[in-house]
Amino acid sequence: LRAINKMEGRRISLDGRIDDVIAGVTGLNARRNTAVCEWGCRALMAYARADDEMNKVVLMEKGGLEALKTVMQLHPGHAGVQQHSCSAIAYLANSDAVAAVCLVHGLPDLVLTALVDHAEAVEVADAALHAIASMARTGEVRARFAEQRAATALVAA
């Protein structure tokens, strides 16, 4: 099973097709296989992190944020999924427009939950804090973090 997980993760991360990655993290196999989801989130993060702004545009058009929301909800207890999802959100939410879309999809709440639930995992905390900083570009998102008592979660992390 581990060999299959490794092979599937390698295929998703090297394939280069955003549609396939999104299908991988939201499809039927995603519910059963956290390794596919973790590798898929890594691939989404790599697309979002690339210097090519077109990657971010395509990710948004293809439903990248919705896919990240889905996978975070499917596997809230998996630190790797949460870490790489938060990292992808951080790289995508580098504009006011995307930060506002993050709010619509409830991503600030999911990122705070990841931060609190995985407080012992430094990598998750680092990625979640990066995502919070990126999303907090707009007053609406900052207000949402205030409502959710984000400062308490940040101090605890």
Side-chain angles (χ1 to χ4, degrees):
L1 186 57
R2 286 181 188 216
I4 292 170
N5 286 344
K6 269 188 168 180
M7 184 177 68
E8 186 67 17
R10 192 174 305 117
R11 185 190 67 75
I12 288 174
S13 66
L14 298 177
D15 189 331
R17 294 192 55 215
I18 293 173
D19 288 333
D20 289 342
V21 175
I22 290 174
V25 299
T26 60
L28 182 61
N29 198 31
R31 296 190 185 284
R32 298 186 305 260
N33 195 329
T34 56
V36 168
C37 291
E38 182 175 359
W39 279 98
C41 291
R42 284 181 182 197
L44 291 174
M45 178 192 67
Y47 280 119
R49 187 177 181 179
D51 291 334
D52 185 358
E53 286 298 313
M54 184 53 77
N55 284 3
K56 294 175 185 175
V57 170
V58 172
L59 269 173
M60 295 297 294
E61 289 174 354
K62 297 283 187 177
L65 287 177
E66 294 91 342
L68 291 166
K69 176 182 178 178
T70 298
V71 75
M72 289 179 83
Q73 291 173 328
L74 281 175
H75 302 292
H78 192 278
V81 168
Q82 299 300 310
Q83 173 194 347
H84 298 300
S85 294
C86 287
S87 290
I89 292 166
Y91 289 115
L92 280 173
N94 66 348
S95 71
D96 292 349
V98 176
V101 174
C102 288
L103 181 61
V104 169
H105 289 293
L107 293 174
D109 297 336
L110 288 173
V111 169
L112 280 176
T113 299
L115 178 63
V116 172
D117 290 353
H118 298 279
E120 74 290 345
V122 174
E123 296 85 2
V124 177
D126 183 51
L129 292 171
H130 185 194
I132 288 168
S134 293
M135 287 188 290
R137 302 173 62 89
T138 68
E140 295 88 4
V141 175
R142 285 193 297 275
R144 181 68 182 157
F145 282 135
E147 288 172 17
Q148 294 298 320
R149 304 183 189 270
T152 305
L154 295 175
V155 169

